[in-house]
Amino acid sequence: MIASDMTGKVALVTGAARGLGRASALRLAELGADVAIVDVDAAELAGTGEAIGAMSRKALELPLDLSVRSNCVSAVEQTLAEFGQLDALCNVAGVMFPSATPEMSNEAWDLTMKVNLEAPFFLIRAGLPHLLKAEGAIVNVTSCAAFQGQAYFAAYCAAKSGLTNMTKALAMEYIKEPIRINAVAPGGMMTKLTEGMGPIMDKDMELIGRIGSPRGMCEIDDVAECVAFLASPAARAYHGACINIDAGVTAD
Ligand SMILES: NC(=O)c1ccc[n+]([C@@H]2O[C@H](COP(=O)([O-])OP(=O)(O)OC[C@H]3O[C@@H](n4cnc5c(N)ncnc54)[C@H](O)[C@@H]3O)[C@@H](O)[C@H]2O)c1
């Protein structure tokens, strides 16, 4: 799995302020791409923009809340206005609110669905004409939660399963067209997302323990490498795939 040169190409990466989104945006820039970076956290996003600039690549910072549908369309429109093309769309932004089901707020359910499932759809729909023109690629970041029944993660599991199968549905819909549509399903990585386990630390630890791998966490850069590979022309044989990078979690 070796990503190919992205010089002259434009990638749009969501969730790029930190964690996997930031690492994916930096890797794509390292491969030569100019990158539109989207995140609700404007301050941290600026740091990613600076890092891309330091690699002599162009970064377009788009501080947008992707739980708002019109912002998904706007992200694509602003990318096209700045760069005139879109070769790769990487849907990395995500939220996670672990909770026992009776305690889960309606707001947590809604935001999980909006950011993790709906935003990728509306970004993809806006980006498709341009990605088809560029013979480009879509990479959706799902999760090992798409393949396991993880206790206390009902909303997150539902959203990530939905995103995984939406990836496959779109791959079939566009199987005769010059575009590649794939997913990456990481296991646990040490990011701000995984710091949010507090609300379930008084729950059944035996069940919580089943979520992880005895091998430990995955490195962010290992997963970012896979995102960049699938976004690059080197992944020409990949379409409708979901690559599990989870240190064996879904081997069980
Ligand atoms: N960390 C893990 O263990 C893990 C495991 C499997 C899958 N994932 C997935 O990887 C992706 C990246 O997560 P991460 O671990 O880097 O977490 P992270 O919290 O470090 O990064 C997520 C990014 O998404 C952004 N974001 C959240 N809501 C947004 C919104 N409404 N609009 C725009 N941006 C928004 C955040 O600001 C943040 O920069 C997510 O889709 C997550 O579900 C993470």
Side-chain angles (χ1 to χ4, degrees):
M1 190 182 293
I2 300 169
S4 49
D5 185 41
M6 293 290 282
T7 304
K9 299 194 182 294
V10 173
L12 190 166
V13 181
T14 72
R18 60 173 189 253
L20 179 60
R22 175 185 161 95
S24 301
L26 295 186
R27 181 64 183 130
L28 286 162
E30 199 174 52
L31 290 164
D34 292 326
V35 192
I37 47 175
V38 189
D39 207 284
V40 71
D41 187 330
E44 280 199 87
L45 191 65
T48 306
E50 271 172 36
I52 291 171
M55 288 186 234
S56 302
R57 302 311 327 160
K58 285 186 202 149
L60 174 65
E61 291 167 32
L62 298 170
L64 295 168
D65 179 353
L66 294 173
S67 69
V68 179
R69 288 181 186 179
S70 57
N71 285 344
C72 299
V73 177
S74 173
V76 172
E77 285 175 351
Q78 290 188 63
T79 303
L80 265 293
E82 176 73 14
F83 295 119
Q85 68 189 80
L86 178 62
D87 301 274
L89 168 60
C90 303
N91 286 307
V92 190
V95 292
M96 186 176 86
F97 305 105
S99 168
T101 294
E103 293 157 20
M104 183 181 293
S105 69
N106 292 352
E107 291 73 22
W109 173 271
D110 287 346
L111 202 53
T112 303
M113 293 303 156
K114 282 181 181 168
V115 178
N116 295 5
L117 180 58
E118 293 184 19
F121 176 79
F122 291 110
L123 280 149
I124 289 167
R125 196 168 67 177
L128 265 168
H130 315 287
L131 291 161
L132 284 163
K133 194 172 159 197
E135 304 195 358
I138 295 167
V139 185
N140 293 324
V141 173
T142 75
S143 168
C144 60
F147 301 96
Q148 290 185 303
Q150 297 184 344
Y152 313 122
F153 287 87
Y156 189 75
C157 285
K160 291 298 189 179
S161 294
L163 181 59
T164 304
N165 212 28
M166 186 173 84
T167 304
K168 290 180 180 287
L170 290 169
M172 281 312 297
E173 188 172 335
Y174 286 90
I175 199 158
K176 297 182 179 177
E177 309 286 338
I179 184 171
R180 294 175 302 95
I181 306 172
N182 294 292
V184 176
M189 301 174 284
M190 290 296 266
T191 65
K192 197 157 181 189
L193 195 90
T194 39
E195 288 170 16
M197 299 290 275
I200 56 169
M201 291 322 276
D202 62 342
K203 306 300 177 205
D204 188 330
M205 289 313 290
E206 188 190 339
L207 298 184
I208 293 168
R210 292 175 64 89
I211 293 170
S213 165
R215 295 190 174 207
M217 307 287 265
C218 300
E219 295 296 330
I220 298 171
D221 284 345
D222 290 344
V223 181
E225 189 62 40
C226 187
V227 172
F229 167 72
L230 288 174
S232 81
R236 60 184 174 271
Y238 289 73
H239 185 61
C242 180
I243 301 182
N244 297 73
I245 311 180
D246 60 17
V249 168
T250 49
D252 189 3

